[in-house]
């Protein structure tokens, strides 16, 4: 791990990944991008992970996007393609982790920071947070997959407007668009995200993973195929110990 990116794998199965460049508003240089990609691959191989939380060090930013001071040294189309492929693949791997991924957004999440946030399953933001796909102001489009994720979250017309305006959005706008799950007091996003992650960790890991799998099937498969995925996941859970124990507890409570 690099000091620019911290991974804390806790005993309850919660992994906390922190962008750790607060003096640069947690902007991503190439070293941090490579470390991020490697870390997501590492997380995908950990069978005991129950939930993942992403956050930024300090109280100013989740991630303010790419570090333009450093990335200006990579001006060619070939270098742009390599960077886009690196982070695009990393965010697809993040999205495809079998467990819920929560973004605890404290402050700015602009450009690439918003792309990372949109690749998470859940977004908890503090009331000072700002998200913005501001690429158009830099003569760019999203390069890491955020255009497609935004389209699926808010629909074609809203996604078009957001990308064309290219501005940082306040929490009331994000809430109205359905882009965030919860708005909390400034400085408490990580606390609330960890509380949610602990709630997830207390549930059956097989059920949690099945919930993510069935919902993601609905975004990638036809309606009929997604229904079949949901149907296929159900029987093993029906016969598994968590369900049988829950039924036994329910019946016992009814007799008292």
């Amino acid at each position: 791990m690099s000091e620019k990116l911290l991974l804390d794998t806790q005993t309850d199965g919660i992994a906390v990944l922190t962008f750790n460049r607060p003096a640069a508003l947690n902007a991503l240089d190439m070293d941090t991008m490579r470390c991020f990609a490697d870390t997501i691959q590492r997380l995908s191989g950990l069978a005991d992970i129950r939930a993942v939380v992403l956050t930024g060090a300090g109280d100013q930013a989740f991630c303010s996007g790419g570090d333009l001071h450093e990335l200006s040294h990579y001006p060619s189309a070939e270098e742009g393609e390599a960077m886009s492929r690196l982070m695009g693949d990393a965010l697809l791997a993040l999205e495809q982790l079998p467990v819920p991924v929560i973004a605890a957004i404290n402050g700015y999440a602009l450009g690439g920071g918003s792309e990372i946030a949109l690749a998470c399953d859940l977004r908890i933001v503090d009331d000072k947070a700002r998200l913005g796909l501001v690429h158009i102001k830099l003569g760019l489009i999203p390069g890491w997959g955020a255009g497609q994720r935004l389209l699926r979250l808010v629909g074609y017309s809203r996604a078009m407007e957001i990308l064309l305006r290219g501005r940082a959005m306040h929490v009331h706008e994000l809430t109205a668009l359905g882009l965030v799950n919860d708005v909390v007091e400034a400085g408490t996003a990580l606390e609330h995200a960890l509380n949610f992650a602990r709630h997830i960790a207390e549930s059956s890991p097989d059920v949690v993973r099945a919930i993510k799998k069935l919902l993601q099937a609905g975004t990638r498969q036809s309606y009929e195929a997604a229904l079949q995925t949901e149907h296929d996941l159900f029987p093993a859970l029906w016969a598994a110990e968590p369900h049988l124990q829950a039924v036994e507890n329910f019946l016992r409570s009814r007799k008292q």
Side-chain angles (χ1 to χ4, degrees):
M1 291 295 296
S2 165
E3 291 184 357
K4 301 174 183 178
L5 189 72
L6 306 178
L7 176 62
D8 177 16
T9 305
Q10 302 182 4
T11 56
D12 53 6
I14 299 168
V16 180
L17 187 59
T18 304
F19 300 108
N20 189 39
R21 301 185 71 212
L25 296 179
N26 298 318
L28 303 178
D29 58 14
M30 286 301 298
D31 179 57
T32 309
M33 291 184 197
R34 294 187 190 99
C35 186
F36 178 79
D38 290 344
T39 302
I40 300 306
Q41 289 300 321
R42 176 181 170 187
L43 287 173
S44 67
L46 297 179
D48 58 346
I49 291 296
R50 300 292 191 90
V52 177
V53 176
L54 269 62
T55 195
D59 59 1
Q60 297 298 310
F62 171 75
C63 171
S64 60
D67 185 340
L68 297 182
H69 294 288
E70 198 247 6
L71 296 181
S72 65
H73 296 105
Y74 303 93
S76 72
E78 293 77 14
E79 290 165 323
E81 196 280 334
M83 185 266 288
S84 175
R85 179 64 61 189
L86 173 68
M87 285 300 294
D89 288 351
L91 292 187
L92 182 59
L94 176 72
E95 188 177 64
Q96 292 179 342
L97 288 176
V99 299
V101 180
I102 307 171
I105 301 173
N106 47 315
Y108 291 104
L110 302 177
S114 283
E115 297 217 42
I116 294 169
L118 291 180
C120 297
D121 299 299
L122 301 155
R123 285 163 290 279
I124 296 176
V125 302
D126 73 28
D127 56 17
K128 302 296 184 183
R130 301 289 184 270
L131 272 71
L133 293 163
V134 297
H135 303 72
I136 194 171
K137 294 183 177 178
L138 296 172
L140 292 172
I141 61 171
W144 304 347
Q148 304 311 311
R149 294 183 176 102
L150 183 68
L151 173 65
R152 286 158 174 77
L153 286 167
V154 303
Y156 179 87
S157 183
R158 288 293 191 188
M160 179 71 79
E161 178 185 359
I162 290 168
L163 293 180
L164 289 176
R165 290 192 183 279
R167 61 181 179 81
M169 293 179 286
H170 293 244
V171 292
H172 67 276
E173 298 173 277
L174 299 169
T175 302
L177 288 166
L179 286 174
V180 298
N181 297 89
D182 203 2
V183 178
V184 299
E185 185 179 351
T188 67
L190 179 57
E191 175 188 350
H192 282 80
L194 287 172
N195 285 339
F196 196 175
R198 293 185 188 107
H199 168 76
I200 293 168
E202 291 172 354
S203 300
S204 162
D206 291 336
V207 172
V208 169
R209 289 173 181 238
I211 288 171
K212 180 162 181 175
K213 189 171 183 178
L214 74 88
L215 291 177
Q216 289 202 332
T219 68
R220 296 178 180 142
Q221 301 175 354
S222 69
Y223 180 65
E224 292 77 10
L227 285 174
Q228 186 62 47
T229 295
E230 189 165 330
H231 173 79
D232 292 344
L233 289 167
F234 184 84
L237 298 174
W238 178 265
E241 182 61 26
H243 171 66
L244 298 177
Q245 186 62 55
V247 171
E248 182 179 335
N249 292 342
F250 172 79
L251 295 175
R252 186 184 300 116
S253 69
R254 298 284 288 183
K255 292 177 180 179
Q256 294 176 354

